[in-house]
Amino acid sequence: MKITINDVAKAAGVSKATVSRVLSNSERISDDTKRKVNDVIKNMGYIPNATARNLAKNSTKTIGIVIPMDAGSYFYNDFYIKLMQGISSLAQKKGYYIMYAFGNDKDEDKVIKDLCSKGVVDGIIMLKTEQDDKTINYLADRKFPFVVIGKPLEDNNVLWVDNDNFKIAYDLVCELIKNGHKKICFIGAQEKWMVYQERIKGYKKALEDNNIQYDTNLVYCGEEFSDETGLAGIKEVLSKSDPTAVIAIDDLVAVGINKYFNMNSIRDKALIGFNNTMLANYQAPSISSVEIYGDKLGYYAAELLVNHLEKIDDASNYKIIDSKIIYRQTYNSIIKRQ
Amino acid sequence: MKITINDVAKAAGVSKATVSRVLSNSERISDDTKRKVNDVIKNMGYIPNATARNLAKNSTKTIGIVIPMDAGSYFYNDFYIKLMQGISSLAQKKGYYIMYAFGNDKDEDKVIKDLCSKGVVDGIIMLKTEQDDKTINYLADRKFPFVVIGKPLEDNNVLWVDNDNFKIAYDLVCELIKNGHKKICFIGAQEKWMVYQERIKGYKKALEDNNIQYDTNLVYCGEEFSDETGLAGIKEVLSKSDPTAVIAIDDLVAVGINKYFNMNSIRDKALIGFNNTMLANYQAPSISSVEIYGDKLGYYAAELLVNHLEKIDDASNYKIIDSKIIYRQTYNSIIKRQ
DNA sequence: TTGAAAGCGCTAACAG
DNA sequence: CTGTTAGCGCTTTCAA
């Protein structure tokens, strides 16, 4: 039989209100009774029922996350898992539970609406980096607490976390230039996405600041984040120019480029991808990449949300996560390829 | 202001019991009032409060999953995501929510205990394939509903789903033999794990049934599921024997073997991994692998659990998931390697 | 500092 | 078929 707060109260010879106070560590309670009640609790192995507490407090202490499952995001498994880890880490620290749901293309907002209207979660983290503002608006309108991963187009008090994609690209290009590279190729995809736009901006600015002329022949932007994009991109660029270093917007794209280099025994070009997936690490040669710390993104997204839920004032409504270049074999220009 | 069942009752001119009945689609209610109440519900935009319902029904309609985060499982991201997708798919169909938590090495059982004692979930799915029976016993003792992914050592009414690792290996070896292979190498890891034991059994049986002598020189079992294991394993096997086909217990192990083949320009050996991860697909040459359908494992695990929760009699307490060989470049013995 | 009592929003006997 | 009435287990005024 389940043991409730009443059982404890009876056994301890106090009212259940007192037990409740002990549970929530209320100030206004004598050390004596506190000790007494805690003993009983321990002895009986009493565990408060979360549902009842939730109902009484009108909060669930749980965070909802919606994992996008649109075509292609299959490739971001690594990233999503890392996000989830980060979220989980903060949640455990703060005593929150996490609910997840996969949003299929069509019913993604249905899932979100369900989650936030049925009172099963206190707030939501949207894992989608390229969020449609429809959902953001929906949540904002209802004043439902949420944070997005990926800077939203209009930052009007929306809570968000993101890398500074401009700076990431800027720093990377500067670093390459410092290492003697002058003709640096950039192969991207999804022109409309912020990730692309910010990174290409950083790329351009870095060239400018180093007095290197921007050359459209060195830039390619394909459709999908895929190895085919990499293959097609590098092929096209090489037909018009001769870079010494290549930046790919994603490791998968970099894999395509790497393949092309291998097939054509091109061994004098540096290659750097983004997102530091397993894929990059286990290629031959191993592909350098930029780690964007998905776990941190998740952790701070959760922190932003929880602070908001608990009315703790954050200095700001967003958080920028750092990044790091992971140097592997392809970082050098002269690579021993099979 | 939030609108409750009382508001609806008042507006519809009925009792809240009636509204509740309409909500749960009770039989014993006239079509007239049903329509009337539903209209009001729609008009007012009423959404029942899940927490209150949970408390009243003493069930939460949510499934808990614990994702193992011990060292090394990093490499199974793909697999876990697929499991989660499958679970999510069934859950959405049946109207269940899903709660997840990462179990760090030390506090994994703490997480589980918390989940099942606080009444936040109705049942648990354990994603750990090689489960410690400690946790299983704990849950079984408390009669807390759960299912494990991966056949437990002792199948005493525990609910579980798994691939038939014996059969997978058996079929694969038979297939290779049918294709003319006679010297088939098996490179595994984690000797104590069921996965290894079952597959090696299947391997042996297939040889036996095809009148091929089992040769210990063709078998290697390393420590970790890693590319190093693959490298070390194939090196050792090749020093003693000369297989025409190599089976690796995991894609990551296969990657190591592939690397060795590439480095040494070995192009006359077939290579097949397990788990069909992205890793295998994007190697050069692309590595053949056995798809084990993580999503199905998750889906049926959830189905088993939900049926149990809803007292729907399943024919059996477990479910075997099929598998499929994914043929890629390394399936052929003569491979064009870079 | 503690207790009594009124909910939180919904479900489920039990009557009618 | 529908309403009344207890709860579900906990929190939180309001008094004492």
Side-chain angles (χ1 to χ4, degrees):
Chain A
M1 191 45 215
K2 233 169 193 166
I3 109 158
T4 76
I5 199 171
N6 280 307
D7 305 326
V8 177
K10 222 161 284 173
V14 298
S15 76
K16 60 178 185 175
T18 303
V19 178
S20 175
R21 291 197 184 98
V22 172
L23 250 30
S24 55
N25 225 312
S26 162
E27 295 294 305
R28 316 186 303 155
I29 218 154
S30 76
D31 282 356
D32 253 17
T33 49
K34 193 179 286 186
R35 210 169 300 128
K36 188 174 61 182
V37 171
N38 273 325
D39 279 357
V40 176
I41 288 178
K42 198 164 288 172
N43 286 332
M44 304 186 71
Y46 165 66
I47 290 155
N49 175 303
T51 310
R53 167 176 290 181
N54 293 345
L55 181 59
K57 299 186 73 155
N58 191 31
S59 95
T60 63
K61 279 274 200 174
T62 113
I63 294 170
I65 72 178
V66 179
I67 309 170
M69 245 314 131
D70 35 282
S73 56
Y74 168 73
F75 297 111
Y76 298 104
N77 288 356
D78 262 25
F79 182 58
Y80 288 131
I81 282 268
K82 279 188 201 150
L83 286 180
M84 291 175 64
Q85 269 184 75
I87 295 170
S88 167
S89 167
L90 184 281
Q92 276 182 30
K93 195 160 119 188
K94 298 280 193 170
Y96 276 72
Y97 297 103
I98 311 165
M99 211 151 240
Y100 82 81
F102 280 89
N104 312 332
D105 279 333
K106 39 180 193 275
D107 61 7
E108 182 156 322
D109 12 325
K110 214 183 74 194
V111 170
I112 292 181
K113 284 177 191 171
D114 188 83
L115 228 45
C116 71
S117 60
K118 287 216 176 140
V120 292
V121 301
D122 292 347
I124 284 183
I125 298 176
M126 297 181 53
L127 300 201
K128 196 157 208 162
T129 15
E130 297 301 324
Q131 60 292 323
D132 47 58
D133 301 76
K134 206 178 46 181
T135 318
I136 291 189
N137 287 337
Y138 174 84
L139 292 169
D141 282 354
R142 298 183 56 112
K143 301 206 185 309
F144 195 84
F146 71 99
V147 8
V148 298
I149 288 173
K151 183 179 175 182
L153 294 173
E154 307 161 43
D155 170 353
N156 21 12
N157 298 320
V158 171
L159 301 175
W160 59 271
V161 299
D162 204 353
N163 304 104
D164 185 342
N165 281 307
F166 173 87
K167 188 169 175 303
I168 291 183
Y170 182 89
D171 289 348
L172 176 56
V173 172
C174 287
E175 173 75 14
L176 285 168
I177 292 173
K178 209 184 301 167
N179 277 277
H181 293 280
K182 293 212 161 77
K183 298 182 110 174
I184 301 168
C185 160
F186 186 95
I187 294 185
Q190 297 283 15
E191 193 157 6
K192 59 195 176 303
W193 285 10
M194 291 288 277
V195 198
Y196 178 80
Q197 291 173 21
E198 290 293 313
R199 288 186 187 163
I200 198 75
K201 261 192 237 162
Y203 167 85
K204 285 181 185 168
K205 187 69 165 69
L207 293 183
E208 192 186 316
D209 289 358
N210 285 278
N211 301 311
I212 298 180
Q213 180 70 36
Y214 172 69
D215 178 2
T216 53
N217 287 332
L218 284 169
V219 174
Y220 175 93
C221 186
E223 285 301 312
E224 297 300 326
F225 280 49
S226 67
D227 55 337
E228 279 95 355
T229 292
L231 267 169
I234 193 62
K235 212 162 160 180
E236 170 142 349
V237 168
L238 289 185
S239 74
K240 301 193 247 168
S241 184
D242 187 37
T244 59
V246 180
I247 299 173
I249 195 146
D250 183 81
D251 282 348
L252 194 54
V253 175
V255 164
I257 298 168
N258 201 43
K259 192 183 281 179
Y260 186 86
F261 286 171
N262 276 334
M263 288 186 319
N264 296 280
S265 300
I266 296 173
R267 41 191 98 215
D268 58 351
K269 300 189 194 313
L271 171 63
I272 300 104
F274 272 95
N275 299 340
N276 192 25
T277 59
M278 293 177 61
L279 223 45
N281 192 21
Y282 288 104
Q283 289 294 305
S286 59
I287 302 179
S288 310
S289 190
V290 179
E291 169 67 61
I292 59 169
Y293 296 115
D295 51 344
K296 282 194 195 176
L297 285 164
Y299 183 92
Y300 288 104
E303 184 171 74
L304 233 37
L305 181 60
V306 168
N307 282 352
H308 176 73
L309 291 174
E310 302 187 343
K311 315 271 183 240
I312 297 169
D313 254 345
D314 266 316
S316 114
N317 66 318
Y318 64 90
K319 169 104 184 174
I320 301 289
I321 305 301
D322 56 344
S323 63
K324 194 173 89 181
I325 301 173
I326 307 290
Y327 298 94
R328 297 209 183 89
Q329 293 177 320
T330 65
Y331 190 77
N332 303 304
S333 298
I334 310 303
I335 301 157
K336 188 171 156 255
R337 286 177 184 271
Q338 295 135 13
Chain B
M1 191 46 215
K2 235 173 192 165
I3 107 157
T4 76
I5 199 172
N6 281 307
D7 305 326
V8 176
K10 223 163 282 173
V14 297
S15 75
K16 60 178 186 175
T18 302
V19 178
S20 175
R21 289 195 186 98
V22 172
L23 250 30
S24 56
N25 225 312
S26 161
E27 295 294 304
R28 318 187 301 159
I29 219 156
S30 77
D31 284 355
D32 253 18
T33 48
K34 194 179 285 186
R35 208 169 301 127
K36 189 173 59 183
V37 172
N38 273 325
D39 279 357
V40 176
I41 288 178
K42 198 164 289 173
N43 285 333
M44 304 184 71
Y46 165 67
I47 290 154
N49 176 303
T51 310
R53 167 177 291 180
N54 292 345
L55 181 59
K57 300 186 71 156
N58 191 31
S59 96
T60 62
K61 279 273 197 177
T62 112
I63 294 170
I65 71 178
V66 178
I67 309 171
M69 245 314 132
D70 36 282
S73 57
Y74 168 73
F75 297 110
Y76 298 103
N77 288 355
D78 262 26
F79 181 58
Y80 288 131
I81 282 270
K82 279 188 202 153
L83 286 179
M84 291 176 64
Q85 269 182 73
I87 294 169
S88 167
S89 167
L90 185 280
Q92 276 183 29
K93 196 160 119 188
K94 298 280 194 170
Y96 276 73
Y97 296 103
I98 310 165
M99 212 152 239
Y100 83 80
F102 279 88
N104 312 332
D105 278 332
K106 38 180 193 276
D107 61 7
E108 183 158 322
D109 14 325
K110 214 183 75 195
V111 170
I112 292 182
K113 283 176 191 171
D114 189 84
L115 227 45
C116 71
S117 59
K118 286 215 178 142
V120 292
V121 301
D122 292 346
I124 284 183
I125 298 176
M126 296 181 52
L127 302 200
K128 195 156 207 161
T129 16
E130 296 301 323
Q131 61 290 325
D132 46 60
D133 300 76
K134 206 178 47 183
T135 318
I136 291 190
N137 288 336
Y138 174 84
L139 293 168
D141 281 354
R142 298 182 56 110
K143 300 206 184 310
F144 196 83
F146 71 99
V147 9
V148 298
I149 289 173
K151 183 179 174 183
L153 293 173
E154 308 161 42
D155 170 352
N156 21 13
N157 298 319
V158 171
L159 302 175
W160 60 272
V161 299
D162 204 353
N163 304 104
D164 185 342
N165 281 307
F166 173 86
K167 188 169 175 302
I168 291 183
Y170 181 89
D171 289 348
L172 176 57
V173 172
C174 286
E175 173 76 13
L176 285 167
I177 293 173
K178 211 184 299 169
N179 278 277
H181 293 280
K182 294 214 162 75
K183 298 181 111 174
I184 301 169
C185 159
F186 186 96
I187 294 184
Q190 298 282 15
E191 193 157 6
K192 58 194 176 304
W193 285 10
M194 290 289 277
V195 197
Y196 178 80
Q197 291 172 22
E198 290 293 313
R199 288 187 187 160
I200 200 74
K201 262 192 236 161
Y203 167 85
K204 286 181 185 170
K205 187 71 165 71
L207 293 182
E208 190 186 318
D209 288 357
N210 285 277
N211 300 312
I212 297 180
Q213 180 70 36
Y214 171 69
D215 177 1
T216 54
N217 287 331
L218 285 170
V219 174
Y220 175 93
C221 186
E223 285 302 312
E224 297 300 325
F225 279 49
S226 67
D227 55 337
E228 279 95 355
T229 292
L231 267 169
I234 192 64
K235 212 162 160 180
E236 168 141 351
V237 168
L238 289 186
S239 73
K240 303 194 245 166
S241 183
D242 186 38
T244 60
V246 180
I247 299 173
I249 197 147
D250 183 80
D251 282 348
L252 194 52
V253 174
V255 164
I257 298 169
N258 200 44
K259 191 183 282 181
Y260 187 86
F261 285 172
N262 275 334
M263 290 186 318
N264 295 281
S265 301
I266 295 172
R267 41 192 98 218
D268 58 350
K269 301 189 193 314
L271 171 63
I272 300 104
F274 272 95
N275 300 340
N276 192 27
T277 60
M278 293 178 61
L279 224 45
N281 192 22
Y282 288 104
Q283 289 293 306
S286 60
I287 302 178
S288 310
S289 190
V290 179
E291 168 67 62
I292 58 168
Y293 295 115
D295 50 344
K296 281 194 196 176
L297 285 164
Y299 184 92
Y300 288 104
E303 185 172 74
L304 233 38
L305 182 59
V306 168
N307 282 351
H308 176 73
L309 291 175
E310 302 187 343
K311 316 273 183 235
I312 297 169
D313 253 343
D314 266 316
S316 114
N317 67 317
Y318 65 90
K319 169 104 183 173
I320 300 291
I321 305 301
D322 56 344
S323 63
K324 194 172 91 181
I325 301 173
I326 307 292
Y327 297 95
R328 297 209 182 90
Q329 293 175 321
T330 65
Y331 190 77
N332 303 305
S333 297
I334 310 302
I335 301 155
K336 189 171 156 257
R337 287 176 184 271
Q338 297 136 13

